[in-house]
Amino acid sequence: DQQVKQNSPSLSVQEGRISILNCDYTNSMFDYFLWYKKYPAEGPTFLISISSIKDKNEDGRFTVFLNKSAKHLSLHIVPSQPGDSAVYFCAASTGGSNYKLTFGKGTLLTVNP
Amino acid sequence: DAMVIQNPRYQVTQFGKPVTLSCSQTLNHNVMYWYQQKSSQAPKLLFHYYDKDFNNEADTPDNFQSRRPNTSFCFLDIRSPGLGDAAMYLCATSRDKRLAGGLKKRNEQFFGPGTRLTVL
């Protein structure tokens, strides 16, 4: 039973355009959400996070939006660059426990020059 | 540079032959984790150490054990690897920060590059 779902295995966008990666979750106890980026042959690296008390968090070209009623979050990358090509994992955790992250399967983003 | 190191990067073992994967960190983080990631699947937490306290996930098979002899090192032991244990194994660390009022500061996990295990 997947509690964090990334329904798009892959996404391809043109350089300079917006990339939107989506994530849905089923566990209403999740209250902290993270996005990780993973290049081949490397471990996942933290990108951006959002607490459930917010609906938006922005860091440079990266913005995460959270819609709690829909149990949905999205990562926007604007403008997209070829170096953004990687697998993006959505992850979630519950209150009081930073220790357990539940991951989605990831979305492979390809940014074409 | 402070980092999480995993050795070896690629490990081949035979069915049933015990194997140990290692993880070390120079971040001085008090929490260390082991994840298993099978092809096209989400990373799945196997267990974690909070300082010396071992915390096993309920669905982690008994075949998987872990040791943390000191802050810097953590090992994953697979006692009798089966074909289904072939996967990428990711080690991660984080620092638990306690704030006033008993709150915890949320801290991201730092991952190593992983060890890809092949079982023949």
Side-chain angles (χ1 to χ4, degrees):
Chain A
D1 177 30
Q2 259 196 294
Q3 297 186 62
V4 177
K5 299 178 183 178
Q6 294 178 257
N7 291 319
S8 297
S10 62
L11 174 69
S12 183
V13 299
Q14 285 297 120
E15 182 178 5
R17 299 286 185 97
I18 183 171
S19 295
I20 300 177
L21 297 113
N22 293 303
C23 178
D24 297 294
Y25 61 96
T26 57
N27 187 344
S28 57
M29 298 299 292
F30 287 144
D31 68 348
Y32 192 67
F33 304 88
L34 308 90
W35 284 94
Y36 279 82
K37 179 167 77 171
K38 185 183 183 302
Y39 293 118
E42 295 183 12
T45 55
F46 171 74
L47 191 58
I48 192 169
S49 63
I50 188 167
S51 166
S52 61
I53 62 174
K54 295 185 175 181
D55 54 18
K56 177 183 175 181
N57 189 25
E58 194 171 353
D59 183 2
R61 296 185 297 114
F62 302 91
T63 303
V64 56
F65 295 92
L66 175 62
N67 183 334
K68 283 185 294 183
S69 61
K71 293 191 178 67
H72 176 84
L73 63 155
S74 60
L75 174 67
H76 292 212
I77 306 174
V78 181
S80 301
Q81 299 173 354
D84 296 329
S85 298
V87 177
Y88 288 79
F89 289 99
C90 173
S93 67
T94 56
S97 170
N98 184 38
Y99 308 132
K100 180 167 183 174
L101 291 181
T102 301
F103 282 87
K105 291 185 178 182
T107 297
L108 173 62
L109 172 66
T110 303
V111 180
N112 301 303
Chain B
D1 287 341
M3 58 178 59
V4 181
I5 302 162
Q6 290 190 244
N7 286 307
R9 295 292 306 275
Y10 300 90
Q11 176 73 57
V12 180
T13 191
Q14 291 181 332
F15 183 94
K17 184 175 181 181
V19 65
T20 294
L21 310 181
S22 74
C23 176
S24 63
Q25 53 127 341
T26 60
L27 298 160
N28 202 31
H29 284 172
N30 58 334
V31 192
M32 294 187 77
Y33 315 76
W34 279 104
Y35 289 85
Q36 178 193 62
Q37 185 184 15
K38 296 187 177 180
S39 181
S40 301
Q41 298 295 313
K44 178 179 176 299
L45 182 65
L46 294 173
F47 25 59
H48 75 270
Y49 273 94
Y50 182 94
D51 292 325
K52 293 185 177 181
D53 293 333
F54 178 71
N55 297 271
N56 201 28
E57 291 301 299
D59 56 355
T60 298
D62 293 340
N63 199 23
F64 292 86
Q65 304 286 323
S66 186
R67 296 170 283 135
R68 188 179 186 187
N70 53 53
T71 301
S72 301
F73 285 87
C74 195
F75 300 99
L76 170 62
D77 301 308
I78 309 176
R79 292 191 295 186
S80 181
L83 297 179
D85 296 327
M88 176 71 81
Y89 290 88
L90 295 164
C91 174
T93 72
S94 69
R95 177 183 296 282
D96 178 45
K97 285 186 182 176
R98 304 290 173 137
L99 303 175
L103 296 174
K104 293 182 189 178
K105 181 179 185 298
R106 305 273 194 159
N107 288 311
E108 69 267 24
Q109 296 180 16
F110 291 79
F111 284 81
T115 294
R116 182 165 296 283
L117 178 68
T118 301
V119 181
L120 301 178

